[in-house]
Amino acid sequence: MTYSPFFVHGADRPSRWLISCDHATNTVPPEICEGDLGLPREDMERHIAYDVGAYEVSKHLGEMLNAPVVAANFSRLVIDPNRGEDDPTLLMKLYDGSIIPGNRHADTAERARRLNLCYRPYDTALGQLLARPGTVLVSMHSFTRQLRGREPRPWHIGVLHTPDERFPAPLIARLQQEDDLCVGVNEPYAGVLPGDAIDRHCTKHGIPNVLIELRNDLIADHAGPQEWAERLAVILQDALGRSGL
């Protein structure tokens, strides 16, 4: 079976939404280190390798919003599509206490090979889907409740955004009406990262967008992704209506 660096679901779905999932899988392509970065299985199953549960939420959300979904089919440890090509964290050699053996000696040539095999094909697919007039991007991610040696994170959901608050502001306001949610605003990460996927494709072109982070223990089981997708579908539609976009 030929390796594909990305998946697209529902390319012809007509709604304004586009759902992206940059860290959808923990796949190591066979062309990279013979499909094995040298990490134990438990490391490849945790947040350092991919965004646990985010792909499942994305697929359900795409169906509910009648929207296309584009997802990267390579581990963030192979190369991170949510970083600029010149970002020093593009190809991680140490992440949350784990050394990545397959990246230890990765040189400029290896970086270029991974860019061409994985990063750029996914980036091109994302750009093509965002070219549809009137598109609103929802970039789905998940985060771990606790990094090694750090305090637990309290948020159930985080909304990351740039200074373009046309859509994030009404979305945050709508989420804060949910009594059972602890909502992080530009938490657990900053919303502005020069060269990242949103900067490349949305900020520079005026495309409305938001990056949503769900705590991964809430979406790690079978039921969680669909429950959260159902909840988010209603909230996103409400927020878009309030935004006037």
Side-chain angles (χ1 to χ4, degrees), residues 36 45 71 84 90 103 152 162 183 203-204 234:
D36 187 349
E45 294 294 334
L90 181 72
N103 292 349
T162 69
V183 181
T203 304
K204 292 178 178 176
V234 174

Side-chain angles (χ1 to χ4, degrees), residues 21 24 50-61 219 225-226 229:
C21 192
Y50 74 120
D51 281 356
V52 176
Y55 187 27
E56 288 70 27
V57 175
S58 298
K59 288 185 286 186
H60 288 304
L61 191 57
I219 53 174
Q226 180 157 352

Side-chain angles (χ1 to χ4, degrees), residues 121-212:
Y122 169 69
D123 195 62
T124 297
L126 175 59
Q128 288 172 343
L129 286 164
L130 278 168
R132 300 179 311 157
T135 297
V136 179
L137 176 68
V138 177
S139 180
M140 287 300 313
H141 294 253
S142 71
F143 66 96
T144 185
R145 183 169 191 171
Q146 186 171 16
L147 294 166
R148 289 176 174 174
R150 305 285 185 88
E151 292 296 314
R153 292 157 156 173
W155 311 284
H156 300 107
I157 185 170
V159 178
L160 277 56
H161 67 87
T162 69
D164 179 0
E165 298 187 24
R166 290 174 295 166
F167 181 58
L171 176 60
I172 292 164
R174 177 62 180 80
L175 283 166
Q176 289 174 338
Q177 292 179 347
E178 303 285 300
D179 293 336
D180 61 334
L181 292 185
C182 180
V183 181
V185 178
N186 283 330
E187 298 284 2
Y189 310 107
V192 177
L193 182 62
D196 72 359
I198 284 176
D199 185 43
R200 295 193 304 272
H201 291 289
C202 296
T203 304
K204 292 178 178 176
H205 304 284
I207 296 172
N209 66 85
V210 71
L211 190 154
I212 292 176

